[in-house]
Amino acid sequence: MSASQFAETHEVFNQVPSLDGANLYRLDTPLQAWVKHYGGSFAEAQLQAYGALAGGPLMAAGFLANENKPVFKTHDRYGHRVDLVEFHPAYHELMSTAIAHGIPSSPWQDPREGAHVARAAMNYLHNQAEAGNACPLTMTFASVASLRLQPDLAEVWLPKVLSREYDPRNVPISEKTGATIGMAMTEKQGGTDVRANTTRATPVGVGGPGQAYELVGHKWFCSAPMCDAFLTLANTDKGLSCFLLPRHRPDGSRNQFYVQRLKNKLGNWANASSEVEYRGALAWMVGEEGRGVATIIEMVALTRFDCMIGSSSLMRQALTQATHHCAHRKVGGRVLAEQPLMQNVLADLALESEAALALTLRLGRALDRQHDEQEDKFMRLMTAVGKYWICKRAPTMIAEASECLGGAGYVEETIMPRLYREAPVNSIWEGSGNVQCLDVLRALSKEPGVLEALFHELGDGSGDRYLQAHIQQLKNDFADIADIQYRARQLTEDVAVAMQAKLLLEAGNSTVSDAFIASRIAGRGRVYGTLPRGTDVEALLARSTPLV
């Protein structure tokens, strides 16, 4: 007998079927339910179509874009300074598809009831395929709110910003068929404390809103440096002001915007993040002089909302991978998803994912109703609450989901390591955890009616005694202002969980709401997989396990 007869040492079996090509919208029952609940059903056909793209070609492009990181080129081959970041074609495919389907533009172009909910759902699907390029997509989407404060600039830029054509060429705005907008706020000496910024702006002629200035200074963190323009902050004689700084001057020459280097990040590999310098860069003032933070915060609020979408989507994709794996993998001769302890873990992860989605899309509905005073106050408070809580929950939830795959969840051939690397960025971007919690206190103390709006929304606990008691405790805790900053995280967490419970109750699926309240309010589990006895884990899993 020859040795070659022993080349095949074993049969490959007990492997999980591929999810490649799955329609991410069709397999997501909670997403379908919440989109309908908050008025986004008009976009059903678009979401079905995008779900197929996200689970198919975009998912494949996401892997390629992360395997081939952006490359920074300071000079061309003739020695000219060019400051270009080159991306793999897969990155451009992701950007082009998202822009063509209106992820940065649709609610601005068609501001109907449910428009922001539908756009959030579309972004939720896109982020599951690749989250890095969400940075320029989000900033472009969010820039509209700030640009509209300066009508003369908006007239020039918004038609390109709202275009559904992706144009990555490094040419002046007058030659572009579409534009992307970035944001550059923080400096090395201040970080989140933008009041410590040292960048100076000097008027070219007559100063004031809409007028040209020259900026000298730096920004320590500027993501997506190949955007066509950036909303940025600089000091004038009247204080910190907001400016629109394009990559090119009106005569077509390059602006004095210099990329120093790209950041070597933990994750978010498909997206380039950089350090930049302004050496007399031409920029135009947006909004009132000396009110730069108030101007750019219009953009920041929307990027924080997209952080919620991003973290929720990462959790959903982790849950999809975990439940799919456990529905097919056998251990000890039994399918994992049929084993009680694994059911406890998976059902707990499903609750976390759906609660995050519910709160996120509720904020989408608030965006659709900004003319309503209650909704406006709700949005002001709950954006900070949701950004803190959902983004904080994502890393631990994704780590637990990865563990469901065992060693397979730790290798790069699966998407799980990328999801885990990606998860922390949303907690950091646009203000880390403490910033959000202090913003919650600021909204409650400085903006009349916000606390009342919160408790109006929470109501009486929808008849649930545990939620009623939780809401009453919240009222007591907010009435006690002693060491309130010290307690800000606990207060923010309690608001987030109360609101998630209320939304789940309101939606009418008692299996989901009862399990959430029993585990998050009546009894607080320390790790995932500690749901109380009597939880209908099989029903929860049936709701969230992909059927492909």
Side-chain angles (χ1 to χ4, degrees):
M1 185 178 293
S2 67
S4 63
Q5 291 179 274
F6 298 99
E8 295 296 332
T9 62
H10 64 282
E11 176 187 357
V12 176
F13 66 99
N14 193 24
Q15 295 300 302
V16 176
S18 173
L19 264 175
D20 292 350
N23 186 315
L24 297 187
Y25 184 72
R26 191 172 298 158
L27 60 75
D28 194 340
T29 301
L31 178 59
Q32 296 168 35
W34 287 102
V35 166
K36 181 179 180 180
H37 186 69
Y38 288 128
S41 294
F42 72 90
E44 180 74 18
Q46 297 98 302
L47 291 168
Q48 286 279 3
Y50 210 83
L53 289 170
L58 295 185
M59 185 67 73
F63 277 93
L64 286 173
N66 279 270
E67 291 164 4
N68 298 273
K69 296 181 184 181
V71 176
F72 175 45
K73 299 292 181 69
T74 55
H75 295 75
D76 67 14
R77 59 179 176 153
Y78 304 106
H80 302 117
R81 183 76 187 252
V82 290
D83 288 80
L84 295 178
V85 180
E86 296 180 353
F87 296 89
H88 189 270
Y91 173 90
H92 295 299
E93 179 186 353
L94 288 154
M95 288 290 293
S96 177
T97 305
I99 288 172
H101 285 79
I103 287 180
S105 61
S106 57
W108 308 124
Q109 294 171 319
D110 183 16
R112 61 194 290 178
E113 181 73 13
H116 279 284
V117 172
R119 181 259 169 192
M122 191 87 75
N123 201 16
Y124 184 83
L125 295 168
H126 184 86
N127 269 273
Q128 293 182 57
E130 208 297 294
N133 64 101
C135 179
L137 294 172
T138 282
M139 291 190 296
T140 302
F141 160 71
S143 71
V144 175
S146 290
L147 287 173
R148 283 178 169 174
L149 298 176
Q150 194 61 49
D152 49 348
L153 292 176
E155 184 179 357
V156 174
W157 283 89
L158 283 188
K160 305 296 177 73
V161 170
L162 297 177
S163 169
R164 294 204 177 194
E165 292 188 46
Y166 173 57
D167 186 349
R169 295 176 301 154
N170 185 34
V171 296
I173 188 63
S174 60
E175 300 176 30
K176 302 275 287 192
T177 58
T180 54
I181 303 292
M183 178 167 52
M185 295 173 62
T186 59
E187 298 182 7
K188 61 174 70 75
Q189 74 282 352
T192 297
D193 182 13
V194 295
R195 297 292 180 185
N197 284 8
T198 60
T199 298
R200 293 289 306 176
T202 305
V204 173
V206 177
Q211 299 302 309
Y213 286 72
E214 288 186 340
L215 273 57
V216 176
H218 78 282
K219 297 299 167 185
W220 185 238
F221 218 104
C222 175
S223 274
M226 287 309 296
C227 286
D228 297 290
F230 303 85
L231 282 166
T232 192
L233 297 175
N235 285 291
T236 68
D237 291 341
K238 293 184 178 181
L240 202 60
S241 304
C242 181
F243 296 88
L244 181 71
L245 189 156
R247 286 183 61 86
H248 294 84
R249 288 174 170 252
D251 63 5
S253 63
R254 62 162 296 174
N255 207 352
Q256 280 64 51
F257 170 90
Y258 295 91
V259 178
Q260 299 302 98
R261 61 174 177 170
L262 298 188
K263 299 285 193 180
N264 187 12
K265 298 172 292 184
L266 167 68
N268 201 243
W269 289 351
N271 175 47
S273 300
S274 65
E275 299 162 19
V276 300
E277 286 188 357
Y278 308 149
R279 305 175 188 172
L282 197 61
W284 283 261
M285 184 178 286
V286 179
E288 185 180 344
E289 185 174 1
R291 298 267 302 158
V293 173
T295 300
I296 209 167
I297 203 70
E298 298 287 334
M299 182 177 182
V300 170
L302 291 171
T303 55
R304 286 176 174 175
F305 171 58
D306 269 22
C307 287
M308 294 171 61
I309 299 172
S311 290
S312 298
S313 66
L314 294 174
M315 287 195 280
R316 174 61 222 195
Q317 182 55 213
L319 176 66
T320 295
Q321 296 291 329
T323 53
H324 177 70
H325 178 90
C326 292
H328 295 89
R329 181 78 166 179
K330 290 184 178 181
V331 172
R334 296 176 62 198
V335 174
L336 273 171
E338 296 174 357
Q339 300 187 29
L341 187 53
M342 184 58 81
Q343 288 180 331
N344 196 327
V345 171
L346 293 173
D348 211 352
L349 296 176
L351 285 174
E352 193 70 46
S353 174
E354 183 160 355
L357 174 64
L359 182 54
T360 298
L361 292 192
R362 174 63 182 89
L363 268 290
R365 189 178 76 169
L367 276 174
D368 284 320
R369 299 179 176 180
Q370 291 180 78
H371 58 278
D372 183 298
E373 185 178 1
Q374 165 69 19
E375 293 293 307
D376 185 61
K377 293 181 186 302
F378 176 84
M379 187 76 190
R380 171 66 185 91
L381 177 67
M382 292 307 299
T383 300
V385 171
K387 200 273 192 189
Y388 168 79
W389 182 240
I390 293 172
C391 297
K392 272 277 181 277
R393 298 293 281 176
T396 53
M397 186 275 191
I398 293 167
E400 190 69 60
S402 297
E403 192 174 320
C404 295
L405 277 69
Y410 200 68
V411 297
E412 295 290 345
E413 288 175 313
T414 73
I415 197 174
M416 301 303 274
R418 172 156 43 109
L419 298 177
Y420 187 63
R421 282 194 303 272
E422 199 74 39
V425 72
N426 287 319
S427 269
I428 298 168
W429 194 28
E430 303 310 346
S432 56
N434 283 359
V435 172
Q436 302 308 312
C437 294
L438 294 175
D439 196 35
V440 168
L441 298 185
R442 188 178 301 110
L444 292 170
S445 64
K446 294 188 176 181
E447 301 189 25
V450 169
L451 186 61
E452 291 78 6
L454 167 64
F455 287 113
H456 174 79
E457 181 72 21
L458 288 174
D460 63 358
S462 302
D464 184 274
R465 64 188 179 94
Y466 294 110
L467 183 54
Q468 286 174 347
H470 184 82
I471 292 170
Q472 184 56 54
Q473 186 60 51
L474 261 179
K475 291 178 178 178
N476 297 339
D477 290 341
F478 278 116
D480 177 10
I481 61 172
D483 67 2
I484 196 166
Q485 282 199 12
Y486 183 82
R487 296 181 288 119
R489 285 197 175 209
Q490 185 63 61
L491 289 168
T492 303
E493 174 182 337
D494 287 344
V495 170
V497 173
M499 190 62 67
Q500 288 177 322
K502 185 264 184 180
L503 297 176
L504 295 173
L505 271 169
E506 185 180 69
N509 187 318
S510 59
T511 299
V512 177
S513 58
D514 288 354
F516 185 87
I517 291 169
S519 57
R520 270 65 172 176
I521 293 178
R524 300 187 178 187
R526 291 176 176 81
V527 295
Y528 291 105
T530 56
L531 294 176
R533 285 176 169 175
T535 302
D536 192 349
V537 292
E538 292 185 356
L540 291 172
L541 291 179
R543 182 172 173 83
S544 291
T545 300
L547 298 175
V548 294

